[in-house]
Amino acid sequence: METIKVSVSDRLATITLSRGKSNALNGQLITELDDMLKNISADDNVGGVILTGTAPFFSAGLDLVELYNYNEEEAKDFWKLFLNFTANLVSFKKPIVAAISGHSPAGGCVLALACDYRVMAEGQYIIGLNEVPVGIIVPNSIFQMYSFWLGKAEATRSLLTGKLYSPEEALKVGLVDELVKNESLLTAAARKIKKFMELESNTWSQSKLNIREELIAAVSADQSASLEKMLAQWWSPATRHILKTIIESLQRR
């Protein structure tokens, strides 16, 4: 594993995203994370997962620098991979808590949304789905994940403007569940997940899957039509211009 670090203690696995400074999501990170979660799902010696990063980032979202240079086939394969991974994460049967260690826009927010509980570090951080201003069409599956926690009205308003929330704003609208100082982040996440893990595991898991039945159906549905629209926009001159401007800004930092 080159992009994640994993430790297990007292039946609790902690997965730390570890790809550069910002944990930008590329095919390798997504594949390694997906494979690790499948292994944990099948391992009776692990009862739950904390997913975290390293301040000042949880994950900056998709690696736009790498994605920008993909050809059409590579881009299509990546988006399929990401949407399939999202479906797997939403239907992960064991407790999983996000310990959000910093900035978490776009794809980073998607990772957190799939978890059962979100503890976020206090600070000058941002979290939310800002795909629309970037020129990326939001598929229904991602909207359903957002509205699962925020409600449809708030999710609609924020998605269509690409709103990014401060930790305090995120707590207020239900995007995160708890704010703590960064040094207490993993302690708070462990405290919460251990409460989940104390409960009878099959009862808890089946209840989670029942509660998420509609959400799981939405993220697992055939998304080929949505993907075609996303890809058509991805290659449009307007989106390419936006992406190029963003990448040039990132590379100047």
Side-chain angles (χ1 to χ4, degrees), residues 17-158:
L17 305 177
S18 182
R19 181 171 182 260
K21 179 187 175 185
S22 67
N23 296 321
L25 305 174
N26 69 346
Q28 183 184 10
L29 193 159
I30 290 167
T31 299
E32 289 187 359
L33 184 53
D34 195 32
D35 287 346
M36 178 54 62
L37 289 170
K38 285 175 182 172
N39 290 341
I40 289 171
S41 183
D43 187 347
D44 291 338
N45 294 314
V46 179
V49 176
I50 292 174
L51 181 62
T52 193
T54 306
F57 284 92
F58 176 63
S59 170
L62 303 185
D63 187 341
L64 296 178
V65 177
E66 185 171 315
L67 267 64
Y68 184 81
N69 292 309
Y70 284 173
N71 62 32
E72 289 194 25
E73 187 176 345
E74 289 169 333
K76 187 172 186 177
D77 287 346
F78 174 83
W79 284 107
K80 279 184 176 177
L81 176 73
F82 180 71
L83 292 173
N84 286 337
F85 163 68
T86 301
N88 291 341
L89 191 55
V90 167
S91 57
F92 184 69
K93 65 183 181 180
K94 295 182 180 180
I96 179 166
V97 168
I100 304 168
S101 47
H103 299 300
S104 189
C109 182
V110 171
L111 292 183
L113 288 170
C115 295
D116 302 303
Y117 191 85
R118 283 157 296 285
V119 185
M120 189 169 188
E122 297 172 346
Q124 300 298 309
Y125 301 130
I126 52 170
I127 183 169
L129 298 182
N130 61 328
E131 282 80 355
V132 169
V134 175
I136 298 172
I137 293 175
V138 178
N140 178 60
S141 60
I142 302 299
F143 170 70
Q144 295 300 333
M145 292 177 69
Y146 218 23
S147 62
F148 186 80
W149 298 109
L150 271 66
K152 288 190 175 181
E154 180 68 23
T156 298
R157 281 191 290 263
S158 63

Side-chain angles (χ1 to χ4, degrees), residues 4-29:
I4 60 174
K5 296 175 182 175
V6 185
S7 63
V8 180
S9 177
D10 295 330
R11 301 188 69 246
L12 174 59
T14 300
I15 301 176
T16 305
L17 305 177
S18 182
R19 181 171 182 260
K21 179 187 175 185
S22 67
N23 296 321
L25 305 174
N26 69 346
Q28 183 184 10
L29 193 159

